[in-house]
Amino acid sequence: MSNYHIKHFEEYFQIYRKSVRDPESFWSEVAEEHFLWQKRWDNVLEWDFKKPEVKWFSNAKLNITQNCIDRHLQTKAERTALIFEPNDPNEAAQHITFRKLHEEVGKFANVLKEQGIQKGDRVCIYLPMIPDLVYSTLACARIGAIHSVVFAGFSAKALATRINDSECKMVITSDGGYRGEKTIDLKGIVDTSLETCPSVEKVLVAKRINSEISMKEGRDLWLAPLIDKASPDCPIEVMDAEDPLFILYTSGSTGKPKGMVHTTAGYMVYTAYTFKNVFQYREGDIFWCTADIGWITGHSYIVYGPLLNGATTVLFEGIPSYPDFGRFWQVIEKHKVTQFYTAPTAIRTLAKENLSYLDNHDLSSLKILGSVGEPINEEAWHWYNDNVGKKKSPIVDTWWQTETGGIMISPIAFSTPTKPTYATLPLPGVQVALMDEKGEEIKGNQVDGRLCIKFPWPSMARTIWGDHERYRTTYFDTFENKYFTGDGALRDEVGYYRITGRVDDIIIVSGHNLGTAPIEDAINEHPAVAESAIVGYPHDIKGNALYGFIILKEVGESRIHDNLRKEINQLITEHVGPIAKLDKIQFTVGLPKTRSGKIMRRILRKIACKDLTNMGDTSTLLNPEVVQSIIDTAL
Ligand code: WT7
């Protein structure tokens, strides 16, 4: 029995038990068997959740790109590593072999070095889903620069906040990007951002849409001519196991986004391991994860996890609705995709469309379906299972987070019996606890509580960039000696887990993790707004939509015009991005507040959900009368 590849349910239990009984020998066996190391580790694990400090494979030396690329050159240089499927179905797809990937990453890495990037420097990558995004990410890793990929749907202000937080020295972008019928002016957004980003010395610009853009002398450089004259050979930088590999920003319930720091060895071992097992990757498989590389799902399961296993991974530039709602199915047919990994929001969107979009395509290549990003509702699960999987492809509902780096709770395809809406069982090495509000662990089955992890796993984020104290208070302060996920979960009669959703002020809209604070800050910038509070309410397609309760400075109907709603959403678009726009805006005279001045969102949530049966205890409110007036004017 190999620890690295679980093949049936019995084996899962044996391996899981071993991983809990002796995590160190478990992970060291996995690490030893399947990766290239420049130097072996001294200790497998050192940890203290109080500090908190976690080190895996300490003092080991390696480079993750050697593991993603170079080591496959002997056996599969001519195999396809990356299939690039463009936005426009009439533009030819590109099949990029491991040999070509090696060359492109090597050239890009040499360009970065020539432009002054050194080990430890932060490089912001703001690109559409094109091969340069993969090349630049891996090029950073090759020379030890820390990549910070920012999703290209974020606004100029959101981009600037992220660049400044980690003081990036360089931005890599393109002249623009395609998104369905639209183009996006990425370079223009970067230019606006950089007015407030003093740390950025150079901007590398890839050509994608051939638009007219302005190039700032001395700062901006076209990528192509630099790549053309760069050497494809770039020796690896030898990295320490705990050297940062990347920073990826995720929303916090308060304050600015959190730059989660992932380090090299643990992230490598865990993403490779989970990719192999959850998706049961076999040689020749074509894996397609529809996420954007700007999110952790793309980092771990478009780039690192698949390439570490020598797999073929699909990079899709487009959207599910262009040129029509058959696009996903057409891509699956065209590239004979074997594993398809997408989000419940996409499933719900497509389930609303006519089944002929699906039936027009041959999906017989599919073996395994995946879901990620938010709880999948029963209806969407069945639609996915019946129509896409034809009831023969297991659905792996994978629960995890930006912070966890890799999948934590999920079925193992073909081993774990699935159950609609359940993420099922923790993967090897993942020790789950459900906690009650008093901070006690809830034992036994058929219980629910707050989801915690009580033992380190290799790919956990090690800190928040520049703010270790925030890392401690956000994740390790609520429950002693445990990592708190921010989610609620229930455990059924056989021990399966179902994630019930966030228990903090984070709202997941179309799979995007949004903190209420930055959205409220954006709204409050409007000169007419005195105060605001955002909550989520159920939405058929997005999972949740945003409902804003807004107090205006001057009360009176005359102030409430439609433009005001538009202006508020415009501000949100500028500060956070269009994904954070409010679906409903209710102007109100007050917000329910506790005596300490905290907005009682629980009440607003009930009003937004039209659940007016029981408002709960409002006795601690400073202004209980305001509740009725909000109910009376609710939308
Ligand atoms: C939050 C993390 C990690 C992938 C993308 C999201 C929710 C994620 C599931 C799932 C129920 C899920 C949780 C989690 N979530 N996957 N399979 N079932 N909820 O990463 O942006 O860091 O969001 O997404 O609430 O805490 P993220």
Side-chain angles (χ1 to χ4, degrees):
M1 184 174 74
S2 145
N3 285 336
Y4 193 70
H5 190 183
I6 299 167
K7 295 190 207 65
H8 52 80
F9 204 33
E10 282 309 304
E11 224 172 63
Y12 160 78
F13 280 110
Q14 286 169 23
I15 289 179
Y16 183 79
R17 274 196 294 270
K18 178 172 173 188
S19 79
V20 172
R21 206 170 47 234
D22 190 354
E24 297 196 20
S25 68
F26 174 77
W27 286 115
S28 78
E29 280 170 37
V30 170
E32 201 135 33
E33 273 174 55
H34 290 278
F35 303 90
L36 287 181
W37 302 89
Q38 297 294 312
K39 175 186 167 294
R40 205 182 181 276
W41 46 93
D42 297 336
N43 290 319
V44 183
L45 172 65
E46 293 160 31
W47 69 291
D48 178 351
F49 274 180
K50 292 212 166 56
K51 282 183 178 172
E53 184 180 83
V54 173
K55 288 184 181 168
W56 282 93
F57 310 110
S58 61
N59 293 327
K61 306 288 175 202
L62 72 158
N63 187 288
I64 196 170
T65 70
Q66 185 182 32
N67 282 278
C68 286
I69 312 170
D70 304 46
R71 73 164 151 156
H72 305 308
L73 293 180
Q74 277 193 349
T75 52
K76 43 172 78 165
E78 301 313 325
R79 291 274 191 87
T80 302
L82 202 63
I83 298 176
F84 172 57
E85 174 62 34
N87 178 65
D88 177 355
N90 298 316
E91 184 182 331
Q94 292 176 32
H95 288 74
I96 296 143
T97 60
F98 280 95
R99 184 196 305 286
K100 168 104 163 128
L101 184 64
H102 182 256
E103 278 174 26
E104 294 292 339
V105 171
K107 286 183 183 181
F108 213 124
N110 281 324
V111 169
L112 294 180
K113 286 207 269 191
E114 269 164 39
Q115 295 305 321
I117 298 300
Q118 296 175 345
K119 178 175 177 178
D121 286 344
R122 275 79 60 207
V123 173
C124 174
I125 303 177
Y126 187 71
L127 278 172
M129 288 279 285
I130 57 175
D132 280 321
L133 174 50
V134 177
Y135 304 155
S136 56
T137 303
L138 292 169
C140 286
R142 190 143 187 108
I143 65 166
I146 303 171
H147 56 76
S148 168
V149 182
V150 176
F151 172 58
F154 274 117
S155 69
K157 288 209 170 96
L159 174 62
T161 308
R162 287 159 175 77
I163 293 172
N164 286 330
D165 182 72
S166 46
E167 295 169 295
C168 295
K169 210 166 150 185
M170 175 186 273
V171 177
I172 301 171
T173 189
S174 67
D175 58 349
Y178 296 114
R179 196 185 150 73
E181 284 172 348
K182 296 189 201 143
T183 56
I184 304 171
D185 176 20
L186 296 179
K187 178 61 167 56
I189 296 172
V190 169
D191 288 341
T192 310
S193 291
L194 295 192
E195 287 168 14
T196 58
C197 298
S199 61
V200 174
E201 293 168 11
K202 290 273 161 63
V203 178
L204 300 185
V205 187
K207 215 173 217 147
R208 177 59 183 138
I209 66 169
N210 293 309
S211 61
E212 286 283 319
I213 54 164
S214 67
M215 297 288 280
K216 187 167 165 181
E217 188 70 42
R219 186 193 71 182
D220 303 351
L221 296 161
W222 286 106
L223 189 59
L226 299 174
I227 294 285
D228 284 346
K229 50 182 206 303
S231 155
D233 296 315
C234 178
I236 57 165
E237 184 76 38
V238 176
M239 305 299 286
D240 187 84
E242 285 297 335
D243 276 338
L245 173 63
F246 64 85
I247 301 169
L248 186 60
Y249 287 88
T250 187
S251 307
S253 37
T254 54
K256 59 180 182 178
K258 299 172 291 194
M260 303 314 306
V261 178
H262 282 282
T263 59
T264 307
Y267 178 83
M268 171 179 81
V269 169
Y270 195 78
T271 52
Y273 183 80
T274 51
F275 174 78
K276 172 78 181 169
N277 285 294
V278 171
F279 299 106
Q280 289 293 301
Y281 166 72
R282 308 261 167 149
E283 199 130 320
D285 283 351
I286 310 285
F287 182 82
W288 182 20
C289 164
T290 69
D292 192 286
I293 293 176
W295 311 116
I296 192 71
T297 311
H299 280 62
S300 302
Y301 300 105
I302 296 177
V303 182
Y304 289 111
L307 294 178
L308 284 164
N309 284 283
T312 302
T313 177
V314 176
L315 181 71
F316 177 52
E317 185 187 24
I319 54 174
S321 56
Y322 177 81
D324 62 41
F325 285 99
R327 190 68 204 279
F328 273 5
W329 322 129
Q330 179 251 332
V331 173
I332 291 171
E333 177 176 17
K334 177 173 174 189
H335 296 298
K336 302 201 165 42
V337 170
T338 46
Q339 288 94 341
F340 177 63
Y341 189 27
T342 195
T345 184
I347 298 167
R348 289 190 296 264
T349 304
L350 297 168
K352 288 223 335 187
E353 301 302 321
N354 201 306
L355 271 182
S356 63
Y357 284 120
L358 245 158
D359 295 338
N360 283 338
H361 296 285
D362 175 8
L363 305 184
S364 60
S365 58
L366 285 175
K367 296 193 293 192
I368 293 160
L369 304 177
S371 172
V372 63
E374 58 185 311
I376 179 165
N377 51 307
E378 187 118 21
E379 208 183 335
W381 195 97
H382 284 292
W383 186 87
Y384 200 27
N385 186 51
D386 297 354
N387 297 297
V388 184
K390 321 283 184 206
K391 297 192 172 135
K392 61 176 181 48
S393 303
I395 297 178
V396 290
D397 177 2
T398 64
W399 174 84
W400 58 298
Q401 308 179 295
T402 305
E403 294 85 338
T404 69
I407 298 169
M408 301 289 280
I409 304 181
S410 169
I412 287 175
F414 302 118
S415 289
T416 317
T418 60
K419 174 174 175 181
T421 77
Y422 280 75
T424 75
L425 296 169
L427 295 182
V430 177
Q431 302 189 30
V432 173
L434 294 181
M435 307 297 291
D436 69 18
E437 298 201 2
K438 292 192 217 84
E440 299 295 323
E441 182 169 350
I442 310 166
K443 302 276 183 163
N445 288 346
Q446 285 190 296
V447 292
D448 66 79
R450 316 225 140 179
L451 180 63
C452 289
I453 315 290
K454 52 186 176 182
F455 194 85
W457 63 99
S459 67
M460 62 190 294
R462 303 295 197 259
T463 190
I464 293 175
W465 184 263
D467 199 348
H468 196 65
E469 179 56 13
R470 188 176 181 199
Y471 175 70
R472 190 184 70 77
T473 53
T474 310
Y475 304 106
F476 297 92
D477 221 15
T478 322
F479 299 105
E480 202 187 341
N481 244 340
K482 289 178 183 67
Y483 167 85
F484 176 42
T485 63
D487 283 316
L490 62 83
R491 189 163 49 220
D492 77 359
E493 62 289 352
V494 300
Y496 272 18
Y497 289 89
R498 175 188 185 164
I499 314 304
T500 47
R502 302 291 310 189
V503 294
D504 55 12
D505 289 339
I506 286 174
I507 307 170
I508 301 187
V509 178
S510 299
H512 298 304
N513 202 324
L514 300 173
T516 50
I519 305 173
E520 289 161 5
D521 291 346
I523 299 170
N524 299 348
E525 295 257 314
H526 195 287
V529 171
E531 207 184 349
S532 59
I534 304 292
V535 297
Y537 69 98
H539 184 280
D540 275 358
I541 290 184
K542 304 187 202 183
N544 293 294
L546 299 180
Y547 192 126
F549 295 89
I550 298 180
I551 309 180
L552 296 177
K553 285 180 182 154
E554 293 166 46
V555 207
E557 285 301 307
S558 63
R559 295 287 307 128
I560 306 172
H561 48 85
D562 264 358
N563 268 349
L564 194 51
R565 290 195 165 82
K566 280 202 196 109
E567 286 162 17
I568 286 168
N569 269 330
Q570 185 53 35
L571 272 170
I572 295 175
T573 304
E574 279 165 27
H575 285 256
V576 187
I579 45 181
K581 283 203 278 194
L582 308 183
D583 274 33
K584 289 187 182 174
I585 296 180
Q586 178 181 351
F587 295 107
T588 154
V589 289
L591 292 168
K593 290 202 177 157
T594 62
R595 281 168 215 282
S596 58
K598 230 183 143 229
I599 298 171
M600 238 202 222
R601 285 169 201 280
R602 177 173 60 76
I603 292 178
L604 297 175
R605 230 173 265 136
K606 287 189 136 245
I607 297 174
C609 299
K610 297 192 160 51
D611 170 16
L612 304 177
T613 44
N614 175 15
M615 280 293 143
D617 182 12
T618 54
S619 64
T620 56
L621 285 181
L622 194 63
N623 50 353
E625 72 290 345
V626 90
V627 176
Q628 193 56 46
S629 101
I630 300 177
I631 292 175
D632 291 343
T633 51
L635 302 172

